[in-house]
Amino acid sequence: MRLYQGDEVRDVSVYSDEGFALLAELWLKVTCERKVMYEPSWLGRPIIQYPDDIVMMQEVIWKVRPDLIVETGVAHGGSTVFYASMLELLGRGRVLSIDVEIREHNRVAIERHPLSKRIDLLECSSVDPIAVEHAAAAARLATTTLVVLDSKHSCDHVLQELSLYGPLVTPGSYIVAMDGAQARVWDIPRGKAEWRDDNPLRAIDTFLERNHADWEVDAQYTRMAVTSNPRGYLRRKDR
Ligand SMILES: C[S@@+](CC[C@H](N)C(=O)[O-])C[C@H]1O[C@@H](n2cnc3c(N)ncnc32)[C@H](O)[C@@H]1O
């Protein structure tokens, strides 16, 4: 593979670590342009995720074995049903899913789904104190809480969510801040210039700077390389 950077031209082997990282980034840009992450469904509901990220979330949930998953960003309910299906396999637990707008047809489909018995939906902004209090009340009743942030992907919003929902996560469990890859796809044809600086990755870095005593990035969940969530799997350290 030949790289042109300014006046510099150099060859990089696609079999080297650098070549692998570059190809993964290229694949992310091309698939994001084609909205490939809108293709999958989970048990009948559309899920807006890359397949690799779905497998990684399965690993996190199976390892942590939460009895509460708080999710921000429901959309069509595919991720909600996915988390509920994992809890069903674990034999316990509930998903609390919060979205500022749950469209009627999506709500009906989620409520009619066989796994709806494990799902609570809340229509509210994730940073509204009502949503946070709802989640905190559920966390008080739970043994192990895991949080997934997949709502509005601006830096300010994700930083607020990390600060509000981070304290609900039990030590050893995770808060997963999704779509940091927005920072890497601002320059694709359907990208937006503002994504370069306004993205979840910045929120993650600021949150970690402020809270490094309690939180760390767990890089094993981004090892598949093509991920929407670089640096997004944040583990609350054990005390
Ligand atoms: C990327 S989609 C969620 C995808 C879903 N988690 C999945 O994997 O299929 C983002 C969702 O966030 C919601 N959203 C946007 N701003 C929000 C906010 N302030 N609070 C809660 N949800 C919000 C949108 O309505 C949209 O449904």
Side-chain angles (χ1 to χ4, degrees):
M1 177 164 52
R2 182 150 293 172
L3 277 189
Y4 297 84
Q5 290 172 314
D7 293 337
E8 193 195 343
V9 181
R10 62 193 176 91
D11 288 326
V12 176
S13 165
V14 292
Y15 301 109
S16 66
D17 289 349
E18 186 184 10
F20 179 64
L22 284 167
L23 283 175
E25 188 163 335
L26 196 57
W27 184 249
L28 186 80
K29 286 180 193 289
V30 173
T31 52
C32 191
E33 179 63 22
R34 286 175 177 254
K35 298 192 173 181
V36 166
M37 66 292 228
Y38 286 82
E39 291 297 327
S41 62
W42 190 267
L43 303 182
R45 294 306 302 153
I47 179 170
I48 309 171
Q49 302 289 335
Y50 282 105
D52 284 1
D53 286 330
I54 299 174
V55 173
M56 291 299 102
M57 278 307 301
Q58 167 274 140
E59 285 192 8
V60 178
I61 295 168
W62 194 253
K63 182 177 91 166
V64 171
R65 308 178 92 78
D67 56 347
L68 174 66
I69 298 177
V70 177
E71 168 191 50
T72 69
V74 176
H76 308 278
S79 54
T80 312
V81 169
F82 166 47
Y83 304 142
S85 70
M86 290 299 302
L87 296 182
E88 182 72 8
L89 285 172
L90 289 168
R92 62 174 195 160
R94 300 193 69 75
V95 184
L96 170 61
S97 289
I98 302 161
D99 198 297
V100 72
E101 184 192 4
I102 303 174
R103 295 200 182 145
E104 190 55 22
H105 62 281
N106 288 327
R107 176 186 287 280
V108 168
I110 296 166
E111 287 175 351
R112 285 186 184 157
H113 197 279
L115 287 163
S116 64
K117 61 186 177 191
R118 297 210 175 268
I119 296 171
D120 297 303
L121 294 176
L122 180 64
E123 189 169 63
C124 190
S125 171
S126 57
V127 295
D128 189 311
I130 291 172
V132 181
E133 183 40 48
H134 227 86
R140 282 193 288 275
L141 297 174
T143 307
T144 306
T145 300
L146 184 146
V147 175
V148 187
L149 308 176
D150 192 20
S151 65
K152 186 176 168 190
H153 299 305
S154 70
C155 177
D156 279 356
H157 187 79
V158 177
L159 187 53
Q160 268 194 75
E161 286 187 325
L162 285 166
S163 309
L164 292 168
Y165 291 91
L168 307 187
V169 174
T170 35
S173 183
Y174 291 75
I175 189 164
V176 183
M178 296 197 156
D179 243 358
Q182 189 172 287
R184 312 225 164 122
V185 296
W186 65 271
D187 56 347
I188 66 175
R190 73 172 192 89
K192 294 185 179 156
E194 62 264 29
W195 290 353
R196 177 159 65 167
D197 297 319
D198 190 11
N199 57 63
L201 266 193
R202 280 204 141 184
I204 291 166
D205 287 340
T206 305
F207 179 74
L208 285 173
E209 265 167 44
R210 293 177 187 167
N211 299 284
H212 55 86
D214 295 318
W215 293 91
E216 63 192 357
V217 172
D218 189 339
Q220 73 160 315
Y221 295 109
T222 45
R223 69 188 187 281
M224 304 304 283
V226 176
T227 176
S228 284
N229 315 322
R231 292 174 63 66
Y233 294 80
L234 306 179
R235 182 177 174 277
R236 185 165 182 181
K237 296 179 188 173
D238 295 308
R239 283 275 163 197

